[in-house]
Amino acid sequence: MTQWLNEQEHRAWRALLQMTAQLDARINRDLQEHGGLSKADYDVLVPLSEAPGGRLRQYEIGQALSWEQSRLSHHLARMQKRGLVEREECGTDRRGAFLLLTEAGRCAIDRAAPSHVTSVRELVFEGLTEQQVQTLADVSSQVLARLAATDGRPRRPRRTAPHEESA
Amino acid sequence: MTQWLNEQEHRAWRALLQMTAQLDARINRDLQEHGGLSKADYDVLVPLSEAPGGRLRQYEIGQALSWEQSRLSHHLARMQKRGLVEREECGTDRRGAFLLLTEAGRCAIDRAAPSHVTSVRELVFEGLTEQQVQTLADVSSQVLARLAATDGRPRRPRRTAPHEESA
DNA sequence: CAAGATTGATAGATCAATCTTA
DNA sequence: TAAGATTGATCTATCAATCTTG
């Protein structure tokens, strides 16, 4: 028999889900309006702009963002077409590829960052106590640890077609 | 000039983003494997299964989930094709439509809910103190309030094509 | 074989435009 | 006109399969 969430946990869970969904939507909209970037674009550009020479191996970005390879590959192809990044062959490991920040990409992230950070500060952190911020960090780290601990858990093989099962 | 996040805020923000992204992915995977539902399907089925007669106006679900009409409409069309819900005309307001839970839909949510709730409890709430849970709820509510307060904010008209701007 | 990465198909999300009725 | 809802186009995410090289 299932142990359900208690009243307090249920409220907290609903509020957290609502908050993250609406916050994500707002952040995406703000970034789009202020610089023509999606949150995903921004997430790619940040580590790239912080890397020496604006150059990173693709898999490093993938790991940093917890993205699948395929998602990363498709997304970078779109960003490349828009001129935000470039790809370059890797000399030491010829399977791999470097990702390069272009001038336009540097421009875009520099222009988007200030209003993004301001928005996050005003929406999220401005009203919080240090205690609350610390709890946010602690709880998130705890949950991340549990996710990691149960990651390679027994995955039953999928017996149905992708994106549509009925039983 | 921009006021950036301090060290603690930055850590908390990164952790929160990572946590919600990975948690969402895990929840989606679990629901898919245990019952062939996506989180979006689940979110639609929950209020519907709690409504008297398994019948709700579409816009009520849309408001509860903060979904756009178009997203809801597309998603319900897919769920209807899979036999999880049905649509019915509304007598008193002939613009509108009722959404009905089918037997298969009831079945799916009843089967998915226990393992979903167990998963959420184990991943999120089991290690948290009452204090921490309360802080989660408080912070989420606060942020939601600020999102609502700045919702109708000045939106500059979009001067570029959808999904691709470069300046 | 495993790791880094790409591709094609399909499901899902977003925007703009439209339709009908209050 | 505005509210409830639908549609088509386009962008994004996910899965499975593939390719190349360590």
Side-chain angles (χ1 to χ4, degrees), chain A residues 3 11 15-16 24 27 30 42-43 58-59 73 89 92 94 96 107-108 110 113 116 118 121 126 141 153 161:
Chain A
Q3 183 183 341
R11 267 201 311 273
L16 181 64
D24 273 12
I27 285 173
D30 282 356
Y42 188 87
D43 288 340
Q58 279 191 196
Y59 76 92
S73 187
E89 285 184 3
T92 60
R94 287 172 46 203
C107 223
D110 285 349
H116 172 65
T118 298
R121 196 167 36 70
E126 208 134 78
S141 302
R153 82 188 193 294

Side-chain angles (χ1 to χ4, degrees), chain A residues 9-65:
Chain A
E9 291 168 339
H10 196 251
R11 267 201 311 273
W13 181 237
R14 305 290 267 186
L16 181 64
L17 287 181
Q18 258 213 302
M19 187 265 278
T20 55
Q22 291 190 32
L23 191 54
D24 273 12
R26 172 70 65 88
I27 285 173
N28 262 290
R29 204 184 66 186
D30 282 356
L31 280 171
Q32 197 63 243
E33 290 185 356
H34 285 88
L37 297 178
S38 68
K39 179 59 163 43
D41 298 329
Y42 188 87
D43 288 340
V44 168
L45 292 177
V46 164
L48 203 54
S49 70
E50 289 169 349
R55 167 196 256 90
L56 231 44
R57 288 291 301 269
Q58 279 191 196
Y59 76 92
E60 297 181 283
I61 296 189
Q63 287 173 358
L65 303 182

Side-chain angles (χ1 to χ4, degrees), chain A residues 46-118:
Chain A
V46 164
L48 203 54
S49 70
E50 289 169 349
R55 167 196 256 90
L56 231 44
R57 288 291 301 269
Q58 279 191 196
Y59 76 92
E60 297 181 283
I61 296 189
Q63 287 173 358
L65 303 182
S66 317
W67 282 14
E68 306 170 27
Q69 288 181 324
S70 130
R71 177 181 178 183
L72 188 63
S73 187
H74 282 302
H75 199 91
L76 294 182
R78 290 189 295 261
M79 290 181 74
Q80 186 173 23
K81 198 152 55 177
R82 292 160 60 204
L84 296 170
V85 298
E86 269 172 13
R87 275 136 152 172
E88 193 186 57
E89 285 184 3
C90 176
T92 60
D93 183 344
R94 287 172 46 203
R95 289 171 303 185
F98 274 114
L99 196 66
L100 250 72
L101 189 60
T102 63
E103 263 315 301
R106 171 80 63 184
C107 223
I109 185 72
D110 285 349
R111 194 153 38 80
S115 82
H116 172 65
V117 171
T118 298

Side-chain angles (χ1 to χ4, degrees), chain A residues 2-3 8 22 26 29-30 32 36 66 114 121 123-124 127 134 142 146-147 150 153 155 165, chain B residues 2-3 8 22 26 29-30 32 36 66 114 117 121 123-124 127 134 142 146-147 150 153 155 165:
Chain A
T2 308
Q3 183 183 341
Q8 189 199 25
Q22 291 190 32
R26 172 70 65 88
R29 204 184 66 186
D30 282 356
Q32 197 63 243
S66 317
R121 196 167 36 70
L123 287 170
V124 179
Q134 190 56 49
Q142 251 186 79
R146 261 168 267 156
L147 281 164
T150 55
R153 82 188 193 294
R155 255 204 228 208
E165 29 260 85
Chain B
T2 308
Q3 183 184 342
Q8 188 199 27
Q22 292 190 30
R26 171 69 64 86
R29 205 182 66 185
D30 282 356
Q32 197 64 242
S66 316
V117 172
R121 197 167 36 70
L123 286 170
V124 179
Q134 190 57 47
Q142 253 185 77
R146 262 168 268 156
L147 281 163
T150 55
R153 83 188 193 296
R155 257 202 227 209
E165 30 259 85

